[in-house]
Amino acid sequence: MPVVSAARYGKDNVRVYKVHKDEATGTHTVTEMTVCCLLEGDIESSYTVADNSVVVATDSMKNTIYIKAKEHPVNPPELYASYLGQHFLDQYSHIHVANINIVVKRWTRMIIDGKEHPHSFYRDGEETRNVEARITRQGIELKSGIAGLLVLKSTGSAFHGFIRDEFTTLGETWDRILSTDIDSTWTWNTLPNVAAVEKKVAQFDKAWEDARRISMKTFAEESSPSVQHTMYKMGEQILEAAPEVKSVTYALPNKHYFEIDLSWHKGIKNTGKDAEVYAPQSGPNGLIKVEISRS
Ligand SMILES: O=c1[nH]c(=O)c2[nH]c(=O)[nH]c2[nH]1
């Protein structure tokens, strides 16, 4: 007899927008996020013998996502994820794990005539702030992250000294373009319960701001010998800035920009130190990943 060795189910792609209206100043603050909620527990019988008595309808999960967004702050997303996940454990004794993933989109306040506008925002990039939460009765595991932060530097990056053999055509370079989509996560020490998440709430925004700042500053300022080394430098600093983070990951595509030899046309110089016009590549791209933990 086959057995259900793992199961989870729920609602994905629940899009939620929440506005906070400051009555005193008339300033609005908005949050737009996409939530995924997948539950685990004593639910095998729903798969094996069509026993729907153990099933919290995914439609009810969607409703709960809206209701908890109304009842609680949605910022920081780590806190909202914890409230939402804990609800399912409190409400249903046979549910043992709530997996809550949140992707927050950017709505950046407009500056009009030098002044912050009270209720108008713009999308200043496809970058997202992400949370993956696993809420159980034993504790709350939180992983925070940034994804889709597209960056490019036009110099200050090299790549040489790599293996040269009969498979190698790539030339060594001491000056190249470096571009990547920053995708980074940082995993927090497990917290015992929602009260502990509430108590530590300030660390989540701080770590997100630090991780963004460190990623961009290191990318910009380091004389990069490789993507591998640059991402290690970034992760090292995040661990230093966030004492309650136990590990950091980066996944960085190396988005290549190829030099174009135009010497065939009137002897135009467009390679090496004369390179100005490049061909951005859609693919293939390098993909370099790392996880950095405390020793
Ligand atoms: O920073 C880099 N790391 C690599 O491993 C690699 N491989 C490659 O072809 N170019 C690069 N660049």
Side-chain angles (χ1 to χ4, degrees), residues 157-159 162 170 176 178 224-229 254 256 286 288:
S157 165
F159 187 59
F162 50 87
L170 183 71
R176 66 174 181 175
L178 185 59
S224 170
S226 64
V227 174
Q228 284 90 333
H229 184 69
N254 189 1
H256 306 301
I288 322 280

Side-chain angles (χ1 to χ4, degrees), residues 5 10 26 38 131 171 232 236 258:
S5 44
L38 301 180
V131 174
Y232 179 76
E236 196 181 33
F258 287 172

Side-chain angles (χ1 to χ4, degrees), residues 176-195:
R176 66 174 181 175
I177 293 167
L178 185 59
S179 178
T180 191
D181 259 314
I182 295 177
D183 179 329
S184 175
T185 69
W186 46 100
T187 300
W188 298 92
N189 292 330
T190 303
L191 289 164
N193 48 40
V194 174

Side-chain angles (χ1 to χ4, degrees), residues 65-249:
I65 290 168
Y66 297 142
I67 290 166
K68 295 295 150 186
K70 177 72 180 175
E71 288 176 352
H72 295 288
V74 292
N75 287 302
E78 290 87 351
L79 179 64
Y80 171 69
S82 303
Y83 285 133
L84 179 61
Q86 186 62 45
H87 162 87
F88 291 105
L89 303 187
D90 294 345
Q91 185 78 11
Y92 309 106
S93 60
H94 71 295
I95 295 299
H96 305 314
V97 184
N99 298 282
I100 310 292
N101 287 6
I102 299 181
V103 174
V104 184
K105 294 187 172 156
R106 287 180 75 76
W107 281 125
T108 299
R109 191 175 298 285
M110 284 189 193
I111 308 283
I112 303 294
D113 296 334
K115 284 204 328 235
E116 291 200 331
H117 197 271
H119 60 247
S120 294
F121 307 85
Y122 68 106
R123 177 72 35 87
D124 67 349
E126 293 310 309
E127 174 195 350
T128 57
R129 176 175 173 177
N130 304 338
V131 174
E132 290 175 28
R134 184 172 172 85
I135 296 97
T136 71
R137 292 188 180 81
Q138 287 68 50
I140 299 182
E141 296 165 27
L142 293 167
K143 186 190 282 191
S144 308
I146 336 173
L149 173 57
L150 179 57
V151 293
L152 176 147
K153 67 194 292 187
S154 52
T155 188
S157 165
F159 187 59
H160 47 82
F162 50 87
I163 295 168
R164 292 213 82 78
D165 60 15
E166 66 273 32
F167 295 96
T168 314
T169 55
L170 183 71
E172 296 189 298
T173 178
W174 280 257
D175 185 13
R176 66 174 181 175
I177 293 167
L178 185 59
S179 178
T180 191
D181 259 314
I182 295 177
D183 179 329
S184 175
T185 69
W186 46 100
T187 300
W188 298 92
N189 292 330
T190 303
L191 289 164
N193 48 40
V194 174
V197 177
E198 284 173 332
K199 203 165 143 220
K200 303 239 164 172
V201 74
Q203 72 183 356
F204 301 113
D205 281 353
K206 180 179 181 302
W208 173 73
E209 280 157 18
D210 285 344
R212 258 187 122 231
R213 179 181 49 74
I214 287 165
S215 297
M216 286 202 264
K217 186 173 161 67
T218 308
F219 180 82
E221 291 182 352
E222 195 212 19
S223 186
S224 170
S226 64
V227 174
Q228 284 90 333
H229 184 69
T230 299
M231 71 209 301
Y232 179 76
K233 286 299 203 198
M234 293 171 176
E236 196 181 33
Q237 292 172 74
I238 295 176
L239 284 178
E240 203 175 299
E244 309 250 359
V245 163
K246 60 181 176 188
S247 62
V248 175
T249 71

